Amino acid sequence: MALKLRDLTLGYDRHPAVHHLNLDLLPGSLTAVVGPNGAGKSTLLKGLIGEIAPLEGRIDRTARRLAYLPQLSEVDRSFPVSVGAFVAMGLWHSAGAFGRISGSAAAKVADALAAVGLTGFDRRPIAALSGGQMQRVMFARLLLQDADLILLDEPFTALDTRTAGELLQVVKRWHGEGRTVLAVLHDLEAVRNHFPDTLLLAREKVAHGPTAQVLTAENLFRARQNSEAFVESAPVCDRVELGAA
């Protein structure tokens, strides 16, 4: 397994956001994570990268290297760094956190920028980029991380159709290379058309498997019910049972 979750519970100040999740991701799988607002999708990714510690359960992964794309709104674009230097951060595993950008590294940065349609942008400050351009830069940095497990949090939100389509091709390229990709998405039509597998999350796993079998009307209705049943202020594992009076 590229990723194995057993009885995983995640939350903030011991308030649960993801409950007792069991999940197996096969190496090379391409999986969308969908669910209602507040279903715990982004929290799940933050737990997988170690930003928040499990309240219960465990995370096991065999992937040697993990890469993570946060939501675009979480990126501080006021930081005074050039596009080239920002993308080069993806080489930290080989150059070190403070490694110099050698000639070969600079060539890799140029190739990554070309792959996302930003040739010649290396000297621009990231503060001067549009949202779509910044997301392309984020993808370029991911390309250089050469990870086996790639986590994407809303990678296509608020992007124009062309940019979203081109970045989707990068995701498919990763899938074709046998990398494991887990992406939080809201566009169910895009999920149906491009993602073979889906995890439907509503604080707990509603369904996981082939997308057509997961995104049924019955499962989507259950997810909405399940999400609404949880009490935000409840301690770990306390929730209103579905159907309770």
Side-chain angles (χ1 to χ4, degrees), residues 3 5 8-12 18 40-55 58-61 66 68 151 153:
L3 182 68
L5 309 182
L8 180 65
T9 297
L10 299 165
Y12 306 92
V18 175
K41 303 181 295 295
S42 294
T43 298
L44 173 60
L45 297 196
K46 291 182 187 302
L48 296 181
I49 65 171
E51 185 172 321
I52 59 175
L55 297 172
R58 73 178 195 271
I59 301 169
D60 298 325
R61 63 181 177 92
L66 179 152
Y68 169 61
L151 309 177
D153 196 354

Side-chain angles (χ1 to χ4, degrees), residues 27-233:
S29 56
L30 176 57
T31 305
V33 182
V34 303
N37 290 336
K41 303 181 295 295
S42 294
T43 298
L44 173 60
L45 297 196
K46 291 182 187 302
L48 296 181
I49 65 171
E51 185 172 321
I52 59 175
L55 297 172
E56 296 181 26
R58 73 178 195 271
I59 301 169
D60 298 325
R61 63 181 177 92
T62 58
R64 62 186 175 86
R65 192 172 295 146
L66 179 152
Y68 169 61
L69 180 85
Q71 293 183 22
L72 189 58
S73 60
E74 297 180 11
V75 179
D76 181 8
R77 283 190 272 166
S78 67
F79 191 74
V81 64
S82 70
V83 166
F86 185 89
V87 172
M89 294 175 188
L91 295 169
W92 68 268
H93 60 274
S94 58
F98 301 101
R100 296 183 61 186
I101 301 179
S102 64
S104 61
K108 291 177 181 178
V109 168
D111 289 344
L113 287 172
V116 298
L118 290 182
T119 297
F121 275 65
D122 54 306
R123 294 187 179 181
R124 293 194 188 186
I126 62 171
L129 301 178
S130 68
Q133 289 169 337
M134 187 65 204
Q135 194 72 322
R136 289 175 185 265
V137 168
M138 298 281 287
F139 266 73
R141 186 172 70 171
L142 285 181
L143 285 169
L144 294 187
Q145 289 182 249
D146 191 29
D148 337 64
L149 175 59
I150 301 170
L151 309 177
L152 308 172
D153 196 354
E154 301 186 18
F156 312 124
T157 298
L159 299 183
D160 62 85
T161 302
R162 176 183 173 183
T163 298
E166 291 179 357
L167 294 182
L168 178 61
Q169 293 309 308
V170 176
V171 173
K172 290 185 173 182
R173 168 182 161 183
W174 284 327
H175 180 49
E177 294 170 346
R179 305 177 195 270
T180 308
V181 182
L182 186 67
V184 170
L185 299 169
H186 289 285
D187 186 344
L188 296 187
E189 193 61 29
V191 172
R192 289 187 176 97
N193 290 336
H194 303 291
F195 285 75
D197 296 301
T198 296
L199 167 64
L200 177 55
L201 192 65
R203 303 295 184 98
E204 61 187 26
K205 181 172 68 178
V206 176
H208 171 236
T211 295
Q213 297 176 25
V214 170
L215 296 185
T216 63
E218 180 182 358
N219 283 341
L220 292 170
F221 177 72
R222 181 184 162 203
R224 287 193 296 272
Q225 278 193 310
N226 211 33
S227 185
E228 292 169 359
F230 283 90
V231 179
E232 291 291 341
S233 60

